[in-house]
Amino acid sequence: MAEVYGSARPRKRWGRRLLITFVVLLLIILGALVVADRFGASYAEREIGDRVAQQLTEQKATAEKPDVTIEGVPFLTQVLAGKYQEIKILLNNFSGPAGNGKNIKLDRLDIRAKDVNAPLDTVRTGNGDIVAATVTGVGTLSYPDLADLIGQKGLKLSERDGKLIGAAPFEALGQTFNTTGTANLAVKDGVVSVTFADVTAEGLPNIPLVRTLVDNYVKQLAFDLKVPALPLGLKVQKVEPRADGLYVTTGASNVSLSSGGL
């Protein structure tokens, strides 16, 4: 009995060491996979960022270095499957030509490409097409910048009850009146049309001559905001007045990323 008991202890110690060794090796392998996964994701994010930056240059637009994040883990699983859940691209301090020598400025353009189909062979060889089912982008145009684009002296813009309100000084009959009006916003073919209606001014005489002067002044406030070319074929779909500025929503579907994506 003593010999059996004595021989069991070395076997138990050996079994424990084997288990510890196996766990250590497993952790090393998992750690290596995590490092490889993050390295691969970082490489792909840099590539996407570089190509988006190239698109900006070609479109005569500027922004800080694109901040790209490939969502979903593990990354390598998405590579093998050829499908990516979502790619986020943040462009801080975006600026692009809006015509008449002026630029449209957005503090941040937040772009999301979803359901990206990128077969492994296409990524590896560069042959074939990489397509995002949907791409959306949102940003906020500040009211001072919008007023500067309209170019009417003294014009101030703000939001009230979900509507864009304009206020500006108006001269008539040798006096200066403070006028206010509601802006109508319409989007067509990537152009945002801004027109004003229901313009009123306290103390302004309601006579035909003055009314004609006001109507002519209101026409001068009309403005077509030409949104510059955006990365990944994004087009303006909707604009919405908010407290901090004009919220701009852009989008595109079935977007090819082969020339400027993965």
Side-chain angles (χ1 to χ4, degrees):
M1 292 294 293
E3 291 183 0
V4 174
Y5 177 75
S7 61
R9 294 180 64 185
R11 284 200 297 270
K12 289 182 179 179
R13 285 198 296 269
W14 181 83
R16 259 191 236 105
R17 289 173 183 171
L18 181 62
L19 178 60
I20 292 172
T21 302
F22 174 77
V23 171
V24 170
L25 288 174
L26 180 60
L27 291 175
I28 291 174
I29 293 172
L30 290 176
L33 288 174
V34 170
V35 170
D37 187 84
R38 289 300 87 202
F39 176 81
S42 296
Y43 174 80
E45 290 165 355
R46 286 195 303 272
E47 286 292 307
I48 295 170
D50 289 344
R51 297 189 184 186
V52 170
Q54 181 180 353
Q55 285 190 25
L56 291 172
T57 301
E58 293 171 352
Q59 295 163 350
K60 298 182 179 179
T62 61
E64 294 181 12
K65 183 179 179 180
D67 182 2
V68 180
T69 304
I70 298 177
E71 294 294 300
V73 290
F75 169 75
L76 293 178
T77 301
Q78 297 185 82
V79 173
L80 294 174
K83 295 185 182 295
Y84 300 79
Q85 299 173 13
E86 182 179 55
I87 300 174
K88 296 181 180 179
I89 305 170
L90 296 180
L91 298 177
N92 291 314
N93 295 321
F94 173 84
S95 177
N100 297 324
K102 295 186 176 182
N103 289 337
I104 182 173
K105 301 176 183 178
L106 303 173
D107 287 342
R108 169 179 286 194
L109 180 58
D110 187 346
I111 301 173
R112 307 291 175 96
K114 295 186 177 182
D115 298 327
V116 179
N117 184 31
L120 181 58
D121 284 345
T122 298
V123 176
R124 182 175 57 82
T125 64
N127 297 321
D129 206 8
I130 297 172
V131 177
T134 60
V135 179
T136 59
V138 295
T140 301
L141 174 61
S142 73
Y143 290 131
D145 285 340
L146 177 57
D148 180 64
L149 288 171
I150 295 175
Q152 185 62 44
K153 184 179 179 180
L155 176 63
K156 294 183 178 180
L157 300 170
S158 61
E159 179 269 341
R160 184 192 305 159
D161 298 328
K163 296 181 179 180
L164 179 61
I165 304 298
F170 171 71
E171 294 184 1
L173 306 176
Q175 300 182 59
T176 300
F177 300 89
N178 294 318
T179 60
T180 59
T182 302
N184 297 317
L185 303 171
V187 178
K188 184 177 180 180
D189 298 330
V191 177
V192 181
S193 296
V194 183
T195 57
F196 288 85
D198 302 324
V199 176
T200 60
E202 186 177 351
L204 187 67
N206 188 19
I207 58 178
L209 175 60
V210 173
R211 190 69 254 173
T212 299
L213 292 174
V214 171
D215 290 342
N216 290 335
Y217 175 71
V218 170
K219 291 178 181 179
Q220 295 177 20
L221 295 178
F223 178 75
D224 285 341
L225 176 61
K226 297 179 181 179
V227 179
L230 299 172
L232 306 180
L234 290 170
K235 300 293 183 183
V236 177
Q237 296 178 332
K238 184 175 66 172
V239 291
E240 178 185 355
R242 294 189 179 181
D244 56 345
L246 195 64
Y247 190 75
V248 182
T249 301
T250 64
S253 58
N254 297 322
V255 178
S256 175
L257 307 181
S258 297
S259 60
L262 302 175

